[in-house]
Amino acid sequence: MSTSNEIVDDLNRTTTVIVLIICIITFIPGVIGLLLNLIIFSQPIQRREPCSLYFLASSYFNLFVIVINLPIRALASCFDIDISDYHIYLCKTTTFTFYVTRVISCWLITFACIDRYFHSSIHIHIRRLSSVKIAKLTIVITSIVIFLSYSHMIVYYQITFGIDMIPTCNAPKGIYRTFSAFWHLTMYSLCPSFLMFLFGCLTLRNIHINHRRIIPIARENHRMTRRTDCQLLRMLGAQVLMIMISTAPFSIYRLYASFTSNIVKSTIQITEENLINQIVNTIPYFAHSSSFYLYTLMGSRFRRDVIQIFARCSIFLKEKRMLRTTCCN
């Protein structure tokens, strides 16, 4: 018995350490990168691109996820500090907000993929769907629809008590808990990933067709446009790949947990599954925090904008230092 308890304690400590490490290496670079994303994508030249608007809006939601959601999750998972387990209104609102912001950020990247498909089409009436006006409208409608589609959580989520009488903010057991798990699995991981993959393939097909049709006719006129489009597509592709990789373990574990929910498990097995559950629920935060570094890696134009911003900051600091020195003299 003592050996079993020691194994359980070791697994719990391992869970705490791993989750804490992931949270730390996600939080600090994530906040810095997302703030730089907001600065860059807020530039007038960037806001003329519909795809950049999706990146900008997604960065706002990602910043909320990293600055608010991630620390609260770290406190709850690593230090058992979760006030939402004791206050019903906090239980409903925080859970609803945490789910919705993550889902919206993923769907905005999905619509960025769809926008690239529209933009690369050979049919002019489809290309017209790629516009700043439609992008702004899509961002607003997407946010409203997802808020409404998750509103059931505000109604049904409650504070439940387990066998050990420890309160937990969760969906009530039964059909709704199963529905809630599959709903979030579909909205957050399966459906966005499928659509990203589908429209990514369709966009590559359009680019291949355009390459044969346009290049022999007007090579010079389309060179700069193609270069910008390719860079945006590479940036988008890197972000999509990160979302798929980071949410895939979450999807697999959710399915496993649903299919084995009625199986009697030992204490050690429950603890092992808790370790896996905590890890796969924390890994998706990489998808919300890594966009700046992916964009910098894949887009030369984005790198140039970053360098220009740092150069301006350096010039501003030098001028301020010189002014201060002059005033002192």
Side-chain angles (χ1 to χ4, degrees), residues 92-93 96 150-157 176:
K92 292 176 180 291
T93 55
F96 170 76
Y150 274 83
S151 59
H152 56 83
M153 298 181 71
I154 297 178
V155 177
Y156 289 103
Y157 261 67
Y176 178 72

Side-chain angles (χ1 to χ4, degrees), residues 183-281:
W183 177 258
H184 185 59
L185 173 65
T186 303
M187 292 292 290
Y188 181 56
S189 181
L190 297 181
C191 195
S193 296
F194 171 75
L195 291 176
M196 289 174 189
F197 178 77
L198 173 63
F199 282 96
C201 292
L202 293 175
T203 301
L204 291 175
R205 176 177 172 273
N206 285 345
I207 291 174
H208 180 69
I209 295 173
N210 289 336
H211 184 75
R212 291 184 300 176
R213 290 168 59 94
I214 295 176
I215 289 180
I217 300 173
R219 181 184 300 270
E220 293 298 328
N221 293 338
H222 294 275
R223 180 174 296 174
M224 293 301 297
T225 303
R226 290 200 312 273
R227 187 178 301 171
T228 301
D229 291 345
C230 288
Q231 288 185 23
L232 285 172
L233 189 61
R234 285 199 300 268
M235 291 162 59
L236 181 60
Q239 180 70 44
V240 168
L241 187 62
M242 174 58 73
I243 291 173
M244 289 182 175
I245 291 174
S246 61
T247 59
F250 167 83
S251 302
I252 295 170
Y253 180 79
R254 279 286 187 174
L255 291 172
Y256 165 80
S258 298
F259 292 137
T260 61
S261 59
N262 295 323
I263 298 177
V264 179
K265 302 172 184 178
S266 65
T267 304
I268 293 178
Q269 186 177 356
I270 292 173
T271 308
E272 290 173 342
E273 291 184 1
N274 178 61
L275 169 62
I276 298 172
N277 178 48
Q278 294 291 345
I279 293 174
V280 300
N281 273 283

